[in-house]
Amino acid sequence: MVDAVVKAEQGLDRFRSVLNAKESEIVSKLLAAGGEIVRREELLLVLAGRAPRTLDTYIKQIRAKMRGVGLSDRMLTTHAGTGYSFHYKP
């Protein structure tokens, strides 16, 4: 069990190290919510002045980077018409 927790923590550390600044801000907001839904409007504040569809592009990039370091992109859930949540349990 301890090995699984350590492996998960290492995966999250690798994941965070490959994010650019805006991706990191989005992921930090999602992690801070503790699995609760973060509304699209709140995440769009991170992308001030950019088109709303830009958030979709960032989410797609974040999911690709999750897969790239061996994490399941299912941890990042889309809630249609509402927002996103990030479910991470070490």
Side-chain angles (χ1 to χ4, degrees), residues 16-36:
R16 292 185 109 174
S17 73
V18 298
L19 298 175
N20 69 36
K22 291 297 179 187
E23 292 165 347
S24 184
E25 286 182 62
I26 292 167
V27 169
S28 291
K29 277 198 170 290
L30 291 166
L31 285 171
E36 297 295 319

Side-chain angles (χ1 to χ4, degrees), residues 13-84:
D13 288 343
R14 279 193 313 275
F15 167 59
R16 292 185 109 174
S17 73
V18 298
L19 298 175
N20 69 36
K22 291 297 179 187
E23 292 165 347
S24 184
E25 286 182 62
I26 292 167
V27 169
S28 291
K29 277 198 170 290
L30 291 166
L31 285 171
E36 297 295 319
I37 297 171
V38 179
R39 299 189 61 78
R40 283 184 60 85
E41 294 80 12
E42 186 176 342
L43 293 172
L44 284 168
L45 293 175
V46 172
L47 306 174
R50 298 193 185 175
R53 295 290 297 175
T54 304
L55 178 59
D56 301 330
T57 301
Y58 274 100
I59 294 296
K60 182 179 177 181
Q61 292 169 341
I62 290 167
R63 285 189 170 121
K65 289 180 179 182
M66 291 171 76
R67 289 187 302 271
V69 298
L71 294 176
S72 170
D73 63 359
R74 290 181 167 181
M75 294 189 306
L76 177 53
T77 305
T78 301
H79 300 274
T82 306
Y84 299 91

